[in-house]
Amino acid sequence: MVKILGDLSPVYVVGIGFHPYQHASDTPYVALGLQAIREALTDAAIAWEDVQSSYVATALLGMAAGRPMLRHLGAHGQPLVHIENASASGSTAFRHACLEVGAGISDVALVVGVDKRTSPVFRAPTGVPSLADDAIVPATHFALLADEYCSRHNVAPEDVALVAVKNHANGALNPNAQRRKVRTLEEVMTRPIAGTLTALQCTPIGEGAAAVIVASEEGIRRLGIDAGRAVRVVSSAAGSEKAGNQTNPDTALSAEIMAQAIREAQIGPRDLDVIEVHDAFAIEELLYAEATGICEQGEFIPLLKEGAFDIGGRCAISASGGLIAMGHPIGPTGVGQVGEIVRQLRGEATGRQQPGARTGLAHMVGIGAVCYVHVLQK
Amino acid sequence: MRDTAKMMQTGLGDELFQPTGASGDSAPPALYGGRCNSCGYVFFPPQSYGCERCGSTKIDRTELDGRGTLIASAVVHRHLDPARPAPFIVGSMELERRVVVRGLIEAGQDALAPGCPMETMIVAETRPDRGSTDIRFRPAV
């Protein structure tokens, strides 16, 4: 009989840390990563020697970037693995650290995501010819999905842009966000990129780092970690795209994996207080939010306009600012989502706290496509 | 794109469309897709590595009628690749047997609405090392 995370020993996030996401700079990735890791160790009040296993999520740094970073914490010889899974690299690393700790292989594990922007991203050719892949980049793909959604649900482009207005406002409250400026709808609607998507509705790929420490009950007890600030990881679900000529495989896949994560957490979608999704483009937040089941298809925009998804609304979506405002440095992003949810569930998200937040969901897709969803609960 | 090594590698070759236009009557140029002999899955672009649905390697080339329906379109205002200078229009089209393709559209944006009948047309290729012709979609007359 196969097992799910909930069948294993309970796993908790006990420490979170960041290097703020930012535009490309001369700061070496080693400095970015070390800042996030040290902050997470301090937050958990444990020493580097207490970490028994490390997962390094990075998509853009090249081969084996982790060891030249971790060595500066004091080399203690514990296992280390690198995980690359496109935008979902950090979420994937988090899942596997949780599985290792839940299985009892380790009591305490580090997950760190770190990246610096490189352009263009190298991918070896597949040998399969394409008609217009050079014309259809991610922004174009999501512009087509926005056009499809707007015609189906009779929604104006300005309505979709309201997602970005909300997320920029949230990002302005987050010291770790790359974009920290409140934007009006008029500002968001300037600088078109593809279709109705504008620059401020697209993620600004940058750089940064995020780290979390996961621990078992045994690890918490042994190291004297404050169990009152520990946040349990109640479910972890993952999947990859199936064959089909659908125009929107990311959403179909997300709906399936979110449903699995919510079911395994033994909750309903309307129990979610905070959600972080892969909102690299404004239309994505809308599609994935509907895919969680927190509202019906076509209901997102009216509810957004009522403030249902604001901080203080019925479910805060992208309270961190999301990929649109907090940023999307690739490797760190999924780890940073978990960090944000932990902060919210601890009640420590000063200035952007969702009142009474108890349950949160983190969702990432990675090009290809893969999908990773985690539910956390306090 | 059209070197022999790649054609041998994918088996079905890398021809994606009829390069010279109509076959027989006034039909628009067909696209070349693949059809799985085991499960019947029809797809585009063609490849013979294995069926994405069932894994079978028994795959044949199949012609897809160059007429379809527009699902969505978008004007690309900014594009980094200098070989594709913006602005241009891209679209998702549903062809026969539920195959969805994405490609460039030759039309004014005003002429495009979801559900609009579309057809293929041949244009001169402007990118280097891609042969002499390329294919576009346009609203069917």
Side-chain angles (χ1 to χ4, degrees), chain A residues 64 112 115 135 151 265 283 324:
Chain A
V112 57
D115 256 323
S151 355
I283 185 69
I324 287 175

PDB file of all heavy atoms in Angstrom, chain A residues 64 112 115 135 151 265 283 324:
ATOM      1  N   ALA A  64      25.993  21.636  -9.335  1.00  0.00           N
ATOM      2  CA  ALA A  64      26.488  21.491  -7.965  1.00  0.00           C
ATOM      3  C   ALA A  64      26.897  22.803  -7.308  1.00  0.00           C
ATOM      4  O   ALA A  64      28.012  22.952  -6.822  1.00  0.00           O
ATOM      5  CB  ALA A  64      27.653  20.492  -7.944  1.00  0.00           C
ATOM      6  N   VAL A 112      16.915  25.012   0.942  1.00  0.00           N
ATOM      7  CA  VAL A 112      17.279  26.375   0.541  1.00  0.00           C
ATOM      8  C   VAL A 112      17.133  26.504  -0.965  1.00  0.00           C
ATOM      9  O   VAL A 112      17.556  25.634  -1.723  1.00  0.00           O
ATOM     10  CB  VAL A 112      18.716  26.761   1.007  1.00  0.00           C
ATOM     11  CG1 VAL A 112      19.758  25.792   0.480  1.00  0.00           C
ATOM     12  CG2 VAL A 112      19.055  28.190   0.612  1.00  0.00           C
ATOM     13  N   ASP A 115      19.013  31.496  -6.485  1.00  0.00           N
ATOM     14  CA  ASP A 115      19.233  31.627  -7.927  1.00  0.00           C
ATOM     15  C   ASP A 115      19.618  33.049  -8.267  1.00  0.00           C
ATOM     16  O   ASP A 115      19.309  33.985  -7.541  1.00  0.00           O
ATOM     17  CB  ASP A 115      17.959  31.251  -8.724  1.00  0.00           C
ATOM     18  CG  ASP A 115      18.078  29.861  -9.367  1.00  0.00           C
ATOM     19  OD1 ASP A 115      19.190  29.521  -9.813  1.00  0.00           O
ATOM     20  OD2 ASP A 115      17.073  29.132  -9.391  1.00  0.00           O
ATOM     21  N   ALA A 135       8.062  32.118 -31.066  1.00  0.00           N
ATOM     22  CA  ALA A 135       7.148  33.265 -30.963  1.00  0.00           C
ATOM     23  C   ALA A 135       6.280  33.166 -29.723  1.00  0.00           C
ATOM     24  O   ALA A 135       5.667  34.144 -29.309  1.00  0.00           O
ATOM     25  CB  ALA A 135       6.260  33.340 -32.207  1.00  0.00           C
ATOM     26  N   SER A 151     -13.063  35.974 -22.902  1.00  0.00           N
ATOM     27  CA  SER A 151     -14.217  35.776 -23.801  1.00  0.00           C
ATOM     28  C   SER A 151     -15.222  34.810 -23.190  1.00  0.00           C
ATOM     29  O   SER A 151     -16.419  35.014 -23.313  1.00  0.00           O
ATOM     30  CB  SER A 151     -13.833  35.269 -25.189  1.00  0.00           C
ATOM     31  OG  SER A 151     -12.508  35.191 -25.382  1.00  0.00           O
ATOM     32  N   ALA A 265      -5.215  16.644   3.243  1.00  0.00           N
ATOM     33  CA  ALA A 265      -5.142  17.470   4.459  1.00  0.00           C
ATOM     34  C   ALA A 265      -6.419  17.337   5.280  1.00  0.00           C
ATOM     35  O   ALA A 265      -6.507  17.889   6.376  1.00  0.00           O
ATOM     36  CB  ALA A 265      -4.909  18.930   4.079  1.00  0.00           C
ATOM     37  N   ILE A 283      -3.262  36.556 -14.917  1.00  0.00           N
ATOM     38  CA  ILE A 283      -4.330  35.600 -15.268  1.00  0.00           C
ATOM     39  C   ILE A 283      -4.143  34.272 -14.525  1.00  0.00           C
ATOM     40  O   ILE A 283      -5.120  33.573 -14.221  1.00  0.00           O
ATOM     41  CB  ILE A 283      -4.379  35.377 -16.807  1.00  0.00           C
ATOM     42  CG1 ILE A 283      -5.551  34.479 -17.229  1.00  0.00           C
ATOM     43  CG2 ILE A 283      -3.081  34.789 -17.341  1.00  0.00           C
ATOM     44  CD1 ILE A 283      -6.909  35.103 -17.059  1.00  0.00           C
ATOM     45  N   ILE A 324       4.192  38.128  -8.798  1.00  0.00           N
ATOM     46  CA  ILE A 324       4.109  39.419  -9.494  1.00  0.00           C
ATOM     47  C   ILE A 324       4.863  40.507  -8.735  1.00  0.00           C
ATOM     48  O   ILE A 324       5.581  41.297  -9.336  1.00  0.00           O
ATOM     49  CB  ILE A 324       2.631  39.814  -9.706  1.00  0.00           C
ATOM     50  CG1 ILE A 324       2.018  38.936 -10.805  1.00  0.00           C
ATOM     51  CG2 ILE A 324       2.490  41.289 -10.058  1.00  0.00           C
ATOM     52  CD1 ILE A 324       0.542  39.140 -11.023  1.00  0.00           C
TER      53      ILE A 324
END
